[in-house]
Amino acid sequence: MSTDIDYTYVSDVSDIEVGHSISVNVEGKKILICNTEEGFFAVQDMCTHALIPLCGGFIQGTLISCPLHGAVFDLKTGEVMAPPAFEDLETFKLKIEGTSISVKNPET
Ligand code: FES
């Protein structure tokens, strides 16, 4: 069972507009918090193709395009949807209480 110490506060919902994302650092791991038309999702902030940040990538629906070579990932599942990347993204659970967004701490 999860307790609050398993989660780290990262942002207020009002800080991220729909279609935008922010990069946060939780226990040394860069995590991208994305606001989509279907809600908030969290994935590793690193493209699995050439290991550059996904922050700033174009978000449409629940898909994000890598800003460098255009690989597409599903933010809900982390699944790669279009090349040149072929490995999925790691995803992280989010908890939203009131207007506070917390992310489940990465496994260490
Ligand atoms: S670095 Fe993301 S597609 Fe190449």
Side-chain angles (χ1 to χ4, degrees):
M1 192 173 115
S2 298
T3 62
D4 282 344
I5 60 168
D6 294 328
Y7 285 79
T8 299
Y9 170 83
V10 289
S11 177
D12 191 274
V13 293
S14 63
D15 292 337
I16 316 172
E17 292 176 33
V18 174
H20 289 76
S21 61
I22 62 165
S23 184
V24 297
N25 192 317
V26 178
E27 297 191 348
K29 196 154 210 168
K30 286 178 71 180
I31 299 176
L32 193 67
I33 313 294
C34 304
N35 189 0
T36 77
E37 292 162 1
E38 294 187 33
F40 289 89
F41 299 100
V43 296
Q44 69 183 71
D45 185 17
M46 186 174 289
C47 181
T48 57
H49 177 232
L51 307 183
I52 66 118
L54 282 169
C55 194
F58 182 64
I59 295 174
Q60 188 169 35
T62 61
L63 302 180
I64 188 167
S65 307
C66 175
L68 190 55
H69 306 120
V72 178
F73 300 91
D74 187 335
L75 292 165
K76 291 168 88 168
T77 62
E79 190 180 349
V80 63
M81 306 298 286
F86 57 88
E87 282 181 48
D88 296 343
L89 298 174
E90 184 178 3
T91 59
F92 301 89
K93 283 187 183 164
L94 289 178
K95 188 163 70 174
I96 299 179
E97 292 173 312
T99 62
S100 298
I101 305 173
S102 300
V103 65
K104 188 161 193 307
N105 295 333
E107 304 288 335
T108 50

